[in-house]
Amino acid sequence: MALLKLLQIEFLKLRRRTFVWMMMFSALIMPFLAYLLFKYAWDTGGDPVQFYKWSAFGFTLFIILPVVLGILSTMLMYNENQYDMLKQLWIVPVSKMSYFFSKFLVVLIYSVCFMIVTAIGSVIFSILLGDIAFDWQHVLFLIRKCLEIGVITAFAMLPILAIAAAQNGYILPVAVTLVYAFLGSIIVSINTYIHPLSSMAVIVARNGDIPGLNNTQVVNIPMAIFSILVWGIASVLLANAVLARRK
């Protein structure tokens, strides 16, 4: 109950932050660029999955969504750290882990909403493209994959949320976010299972659902889940240790 109350408070605070809602529009960047690419340079051959691969399963998965969630995580922690408002929260009292998980739930909900906007944008631009027939089966595939990406990416970003909780400033968490996101896209072709974001890509592209992703290594879903789980537990422990030291 206390967690839900904290979650409600977080959304009330976010309501006044225009930049948070502006970041949501970045969900339409890749659908729009994919539209331009396939309109004027390439040909999908009428295959919607090829279009969705570019509009939702490529740069959005590896770069855009992780960077957006990293910035959001930093913003969620920054103001309270900057003005030392945590002292007032601990007096209430508020459980330190409830405080941390309320931030995580905001990131999770935002991530799912971001990917729903991406899915809607992908469908609209694929229709505008003209040579892709509207098919409910492919649309449901897109929505299912976007929801998977939204949920799993939020868990894969737990290390960034923990780092943001440990810092009073925003420069280091944002810098780490950029390195973290780009490292995830690079490592996916080297050793997929040592980075949460590349492990997330394995889960999303399992069974060869998305052509061109993870076709060079043996797919091991339990190993990918284990990688995300280990990083997530380590992040929660780090956040717990950091917040416990704050009086």
Side-chain angles (χ1 to χ4, degrees):
M1 199 65 183
L3 185 60
L4 291 177
K5 188 68 176 177
L6 285 172
L7 184 62
Q8 182 183 14
I9 294 171
E10 290 297 335
F11 277 107
L12 287 174
K13 288 189 290 187
L14 285 181
R15 190 177 56 179
R16 301 173 182 173
R17 298 185 183 180
T18 308
F19 186 70
V20 172
W21 302 112
M22 287 177 62
M23 285 198 301
M24 189 63 78
F25 284 103
S26 61
L28 298 175
I29 290 177
M30 285 312 300
F32 177 64
L33 292 180
Y35 166 77
L36 294 178
L37 183 66
F38 285 99
K39 180 74 174 180
Y40 298 106
W42 291 357
D43 183 4
T44 64
D47 182 5
V49 177
Q50 286 293 340
F51 182 81
Y52 297 155
K53 176 188 170 186
W54 276 89
S55 67
F57 307 141
F59 289 105
T60 300
L61 185 156
F62 286 108
I63 303 295
I64 297 176
L65 179 60
V67 169
V68 166
L69 295 184
I71 294 173
L72 176 65
S73 298
T74 303
M75 292 176 65
L76 288 172
M77 295 291 185
Y78 175 66
N79 281 345
E80 283 150 6
N81 287 337
Q82 183 186 28
Y83 300 113
D84 211 11
M85 294 174 61
L86 292 180
K87 290 180 181 176
Q88 299 175 28
L89 288 176
W90 303 157
I91 291 172
V92 173
V94 170
S95 161
K96 294 178 175 61
M97 281 295 92
S98 294
Y99 166 79
F100 180 77
F101 283 120
S102 69
K103 305 287 187 183
F104 168 71
L105 286 176
V106 172
V107 173
L108 175 62
I109 293 170
Y110 191 91
S111 180
V112 170
C113 291
F114 188 97
M115 290 310 300
I116 290 174
V117 173
T118 296
I120 293 172
S122 297
V123 172
I124 291 174
F125 283 112
S126 68
I127 293 173
L128 293 176
L129 199 58
D131 64 344
I132 298 177
F134 184 87
D135 185 317
W136 274 112
Q137 183 177 354
H138 289 115
V139 171
L140 291 176
F141 166 79
L142 171 69
I143 293 173
R144 178 168 59 85
K145 287 298 175 185
C146 284
L147 290 176
E148 284 183 13
I149 293 170
V151 172
I152 303 173
T153 305
F155 283 92
M157 294 304 292
L158 269 169
I160 301 299
L161 187 62
I163 291 172
Q167 297 294 315
N168 290 325
Y170 61 87
I171 295 178
L172 180 61
V174 171
V176 172
T177 294
L178 295 176
V179 173
Y180 186 78
F182 282 99
L183 203 58
S185 63
I186 294 171
I187 284 180
V188 72
S189 61
I190 302 173
N191 189 331
T192 307
Y193 305 102
I194 62 175
H195 195 295
L197 290 177
S198 54
S199 297
M200 177 265 295
V202 171
I203 298 172
V204 172
R206 65 189 182 280
N207 304 323
D209 285 349
I210 303 174
L213 286 183
N214 302 313
N215 57 358
T216 59
Q217 298 182 41
V218 176
V219 174
N220 189 330
I221 301 300
M223 183 64 76
I225 295 173
F226 179 74
S227 172
I228 295 173
L229 191 62
V230 168
W231 280 91
I233 292 173
S235 302
V236 172
L237 293 175
L238 171 63
N240 188 41
V242 169
L243 293 174
R245 287 202 300 268
R246 298 197 169 185
K247 304 297 183 183

